[in-house]
Amino acid sequence: MKEQISGAEALMRSLLHEGVDILFGYPGGAIMPVYDALYDYRKELNHILVRHEQGAVHAAQGYARVSGKVGCAIVTSGPGATNTITGIADAMIDSTPMVVICGQVGTAMLGTDAFQEVDVVGITQPISKWSYQIRRAEDIAWAVSRAFYIARSGRPGPVVLDFAKNAQTEIFEYESKKVDFIRSYEPVPKMEQTAVEKAAKMINDSVTPFVLVGQGVELGDAREELRALLEKAQIPAGCTMLGLSALPSDHPLNMGMLGMHGNLGPNVMTNQCDLLIAVGMRFDDRVTGNLKTYAKQAKIIHFDIDPSEINKNVKVDLAVLGNCKETLAAVTELVDKTTHQHWIDSFKPYEEKEFNKVINKALNPTEGPLLMGEVVRKVSEAANNEAVLVTDVGQNQLFGCRYFKFSKGRSVVTSGGCGTMGFGLPAAIGATFGAPERTVCMFCGDGGLQMTIQELGTIMEQQAPVKIILLNNNYLGNVRQWQAMFFNHRYSFTPMTNPDYELIAKAYGIPVQTVVNREELDEAVRKMLATPGPYLLQCAVLEEDNVLPMTPPGANVDEMLLEVNS
């Protein structure tokens, strides 16, 4: 006779069977049997008590992004479940593997508007890879294994398990399950040799090829394969925001960041190349600008694992489906070893123009208040360009991604597609658990910090070594910039009246320092990085600083503004 255990304990064993060793969560009534079982598994399953369920899912995202593993969050029913919705949607659009386990009322109470009953499956189906309600204890092992398989396979994403309370308390004969196949689900399309050969020929025939590097390179663990292709064929590349650390910042073929606030050269050359090679990216509108004029002169090859992305936004000439670790290697074998030095050199005038008009001013000011760009670069360099960059959303994100430098993979944790303010602080907590050997630097603005500021309590309890750099400009900075540029400086509800962040940090037992003068910055950054555990460095920055260059909304990708007209 097999061992008889409760459904709640079956969940513990099923999680361990999937290799889970850390959970981010918050208890409540409908998930209480699970938390009771967790009490006996505290050594095997490290549970991090967050201060809000949104914090749990963002922490799970941060953990997943830096570790490559599936993040796991556990919450109760009703508001506990609905508080995870933003993080689930965020993980879906940014392809982050995550399993969210929500408590639910017993099956006998479903549909009765019972206390804290919400239709979790109905709400989350459109924003997850799979959403399933566990109604019987005997389904737990299968459902958990299936959830983790779906979350981590193919194009990763979030999965939601809605766990009825009666299934948590039922006693049954437990047997572990392993799901590694689902009928009609093809996580990795079969690579077609004819597509590989066509791609190689198009690359060999090209005079001015350009590669767009997306997060799919990181997700597919294909950083070395990407470099091999670029270096053999000598092709310049630009990176999306989420793909920034897929290629070292100082690589001679890395021309910088793509998109609305990217670098001038990559954006201009997108509309001048004769072959555009997109790898693991989805042609987001912030990257393409006006689709009617985007890369119309070029033939386009799209490497992707998800067939639904092909021709979704940009019509391509060739799709190479499959995991880019495999497809890039196959194409590289067939491409000619060549040089495109004249084409590579053509980026340099744009680099120089952007440096003179924007970058030098942002990084090397001689007077006036601190600038966000100089703070970001100082922190990056002081950490030997080896730290994990976590950002919130807004100007802090854009300056962070523009001026932080990367030498290692899986080093960018930011909310790309969803643009979730409040993401940064809890995601950074998760990142410290996903990569405990690395320095985690989290940049945020005064607006985003206050959205999830309660997670300072999690940092306090866990002593999570998050280095928080608060770029305080007393504004909702990115909205203010748009108001300045496109709404005649009508600052409608963007000025912020802020609390004393030093007092708040001290209340949570977090070391803190405020920097106002440029002469103090180097030593303050050094002290922050040298201090064990968490730290809050508040930098009083120029209130009306602007992120430049900028492609105005609806403009062509190469129509970048290098200055703001007053």
Side-chain angles (χ1 to χ4, degrees), residues 70-233:
V70 179
C72 193
I74 185 165
V75 301
T76 193
S77 65
T82 57
N83 283 342
T84 67
I85 301 304
T86 296
I88 294 169
D90 195 295
M92 187 66 177
I93 199 166
D94 282 351
S95 303
T96 303
M98 178 172 68
V99 172
V100 179
I101 300 167
C102 306
Q104 182 57 279
V105 301
T107 54
M109 304 290 287
L110 289 172
T112 68
D113 291 333
F115 179 67
Q116 293 191 333
E117 179 196 359
V118 168
D119 182 3
V120 173
V121 172
I123 293 172
T124 59
Q125 273 184 335
I127 55 170
S128 63
K129 284 188 74 176
W130 185 51
S131 185
Y132 180 76
Q133 188 173 77
I134 303 174
R135 298 185 178 191
R136 305 181 304 170
E138 61 196 73
D139 295 332
I140 292 169
W142 166 83
V144 170
S145 184
R146 195 176 198 265
F148 277 83
Y149 172 63
I150 291 172
R152 68 166 66 97
S153 61
R155 180 179 181 175
V159 170
V160 178
L161 293 177
D162 191 35
F163 199 1
K165 196 168 185 178
N166 62 284
Q168 300 173 40
T169 57
E170 287 173 7
I171 304 298
F172 76 115
E173 293 183 357
Y174 172 77
E175 182 179 359
S176 65
K177 304 283 185 182
K178 186 62 178 176
V179 175
D180 55 13
F181 170 79
I182 299 172
R183 191 176 64 180
S184 78
Y185 173 56
E186 185 182 23
V188 182
K190 184 179 179 180
M191 182 179 70
E192 295 182 0
Q193 186 62 27
T194 54
V196 169
E197 292 169 0
K198 288 179 181 178
K201 185 178 188 306
M202 290 172 71
I203 293 171
N204 290 336
D205 291 345
S206 172
V207 176
T208 56
F210 186 42
V211 172
L212 311 182
V213 180
Q215 188 192 197
V217 174
E218 295 269 43
L219 297 174
D221 193 24
R223 290 179 293 275
E224 293 305 315
E225 287 75 12
L226 172 71
R227 289 182 64 169
L229 173 62
L230 297 181
E231 291 169 2
K232 183 177 182 181

Side-chain angles (χ1 to χ4, degrees), residues 146-426:
R146 195 176 198 265
F148 277 83
Y149 172 63
I150 291 172
R152 68 166 66 97
S153 61
R155 180 179 181 175
V159 170
V160 178
L161 293 177
D162 191 35
F163 199 1
K165 196 168 185 178
N166 62 284
Q168 300 173 40
T169 57
E170 287 173 7
I171 304 298
F172 76 115
E173 293 183 357
Y174 172 77
E175 182 179 359
S176 65
K177 304 283 185 182
K178 186 62 178 176
V179 175
D180 55 13
F181 170 79
I182 299 172
R183 191 176 64 180
S184 78
Y185 173 56
E186 185 182 23
V188 182
K190 184 179 179 180
M191 182 179 70
E192 295 182 0
Q193 186 62 27
T194 54
V196 169
E197 292 169 0
K198 288 179 181 178
K201 185 178 188 306
M202 290 172 71
I203 293 171
N204 290 336
D205 291 345
S206 172
V207 176
T208 56
F210 186 42
V211 172
L212 311 182
V213 180
Q215 188 192 197
V217 174
E218 295 269 43
L219 297 174
D221 193 24
R223 290 179 293 275
E224 293 305 315
E225 287 75 12
L226 172 71
R227 289 182 64 169
L229 173 62
L230 297 181
E231 291 169 2
K232 183 177 182 181
Q234 286 295 291
I235 306 175
C239 300
T240 68
M241 183 179 287
L242 296 186
L244 281 171
S245 64
L247 189 64
S249 300
D250 62 357
H251 193 285
L253 294 171
N254 189 344
M255 300 299 156
M257 187 169 78
L258 301 161
M260 177 177 279
H261 289 286
N263 294 109
L264 180 62
N267 279 358
V268 170
M269 292 314 200
T270 295
N271 276 5
Q272 292 188 18
C273 64
D274 66 1
L275 179 65
L276 199 63
I277 307 163
V279 185
M281 54 89 72
R282 57 187 178 84
F283 290 108
D284 175 72
D285 60 288
R286 287 293 174 96
V287 166
T288 65
N290 182 7
L291 284 171
K292 293 180 180 179
T293 60
Y294 182 76
K296 292 302 179 183
Q297 81 294 337
K299 292 183 178 179
I300 302 176
I301 304 173
H302 194 174
F303 290 78
D304 212 287
I305 201 169
D306 185 355
S308 72
E309 289 296 342
I310 306 301
N311 296 322
K312 186 179 79 174
N313 295 326
V314 173
K315 183 173 176 56
V316 302
D317 297 276
L318 176 66
V320 184
L321 291 171
N323 188 322
C324 59
K325 187 176 184 68
E326 181 183 9
T327 56
L328 285 174
V331 170
T332 301
E333 284 187 13
L334 301 179
V335 300
D336 297 333
K337 186 176 177 63
T338 186
T339 182
H340 295 97
Q341 195 58 51
H342 180 72
W343 167 237
I344 293 168
D345 289 344
S346 69
F347 282 78
K348 292 180 180 177
Y350 297 103
E351 291 177 14
E352 293 171 0
K353 184 177 182 180
E354 182 181 353
F355 180 82
N356 292 330
K357 286 188 169 290
V358 178
I359 296 175
N360 189 42
K361 296 176 182 178
L363 299 184
N364 302 301
T366 57
E367 58 184 6
L370 287 169
L371 301 182
M372 297 188 205
E374 69 173 315
V375 175
V376 170
R377 182 59 61 85
K378 290 281 188 185
V379 173
S380 180
E381 291 177 345
N384 298 316
N385 298 329
E386 295 179 345
V388 173
L389 169 71
V390 183
T391 80
D392 205 78
V393 167
Q395 288 184 315
N396 63 89
Q397 176 187 42
L398 302 169
F399 277 111
C401 290
R402 277 186 58 83
Y403 295 118
F404 213 77
K405 296 297 178 184
F406 308 99
S407 58
K408 297 181 177 181
R410 291 195 175 273
S411 294
V412 180
V413 181
T414 191
S415 175
C418 211
T420 303
M421 288 182 69
F423 172 89
L425 193 60

Side-chain angles (χ1 to χ4, degrees), residues 16-29:
L16 291 172
H17 191 66
E18 292 299 322
V20 176
D21 57 8
I22 188 166
L23 304 166
F24 302 92
Y26 203 93

